[in-house]
Amino acid sequence: NKVIAHRGAWKKHDVSHNSMSSLKYAIELGCEGTEIDVWMSADDIVMLSHDHAIGGKVLEETNADELSKISLKNGDYVPSLKETIEYIKKQNKTKLVIEIKGTQVGKPIADSVVYLVHRMKAQGWVNYIAFGLEHLIRVKELDPTADVAYLGSDKTLEELKAANMTGIDFHYNLYFKDTDLVNKAKALGLSTNVWTVNKEEDLKTILEQNVDYITTDEPELLFKILDNK
């Protein structure tokens, strides 16, 4: 159905993004995917957060046990990727789209994410995205079958294909500037995702371009538009 809930389905439910509740609501909606952001804790546990710090704690400088005690809305706490995968594997409709983050040199976050996914036999539930192309290249080295899409705008489609990417995940402005971008990507065998589209008119415009996926903070609105179509 093309719908990727951005950091889960949180906006209409007064829950925190990147929380277990936002994941649950995305699954209940029937989204094709739910995007999450991951960082490595100081003791090398993969944790969910959009920013490098949460609750006044820098993720890469704080142990996972301490991070997991930071409270979020609706009685949630900062979850680990392990918890998230355990939950996503209870169903077969919604995938995890894992955005790999991280800044510290020597923190092999791509390795940790992929090893965890494989240990939990969750390859079929997971796609990977990142602004750091090096993360995605490493994912493909570890798992040649992985679905990886680049978020940045500093590479050509040909360069991304040569880097072994399976798709692009570009800001919607790039699709507006080049209305043939989807066709160009598909001609190279690249899947197409677009972020983060929230206005009704923009969602309708993007749908007309026949992209594969649409990442949005408004999954309910996108489902309504799709139902009307």
Side-chain angles (χ1 to χ4, degrees), residues 131-195:
F131 281 101
L133 188 59
E134 71 278 5
H135 293 322
L136 300 177
I137 290 172
R138 180 58 177 159
V139 169
K140 290 294 279 187
E141 289 173 350
L142 295 169
D143 182 359
T145 67
D147 190 313
V148 298
Y150 185 55
L151 291 165
S153 59
D154 60 335
K155 304 292 182 184
T156 66
L157 297 179
E158 290 75 15
E159 286 173 327
L160 294 175
K161 181 67 176 180
N164 208 21
M165 297 298 101
T166 50
I168 59 172
D169 192 350
F170 288 170
H171 190 270
Y172 66 87
N173 279 337
L174 297 181
Y175 290 90
F176 287 174
K177 289 177 182 176
D178 183 357
T179 55
D180 200 37
L181 181 58
V182 173
N183 292 329
K184 291 175 181 176
K186 290 185 175 182
L188 290 170
L190 296 168
S191 64
T192 53
N193 195 348
V194 51
W195 58 272

Side-chain angles (χ1 to χ4, degrees), residues 20-84:
M20 295 304 294
S21 291
S22 67
L23 173 67
K24 177 175 75 76
Y25 285 125
I27 291 171
E28 288 179 358
L29 276 173
C31 296
E32 187 158 345
T34 179
E35 185 259 5
I36 60 172
D37 307 279
V38 299
W39 298 78
M40 194 105 90
S41 69
D43 53 345
D44 298 336
I45 304 297
V46 184
M47 305 293 291
L48 271 63
S49 175
H50 177 262
D51 299 322
H52 78 287
I54 189 167
K57 305 287 186 181
V58 176
L59 277 93
E60 293 175 321
E61 299 174 359
T62 309
N63 285 343
D65 182 61
E66 191 173 349
L67 292 169
S68 66
K69 294 174 182 174
I70 296 173
S71 61
L72 307 173
K73 292 181 179 179
N74 198 43
D76 282 320
Y77 294 86
V78 175
S80 67
L81 179 58
K82 182 176 183 291
E83 293 174 80
T84 308

Side-chain angles (χ1 to χ4, degrees), residues 101-113:
K101 298 198 169 185
T103 57
Q104 286 191 3
V105 176
K107 283 281 186 183
I109 185 167
D111 295 55
S112 294
V113 171

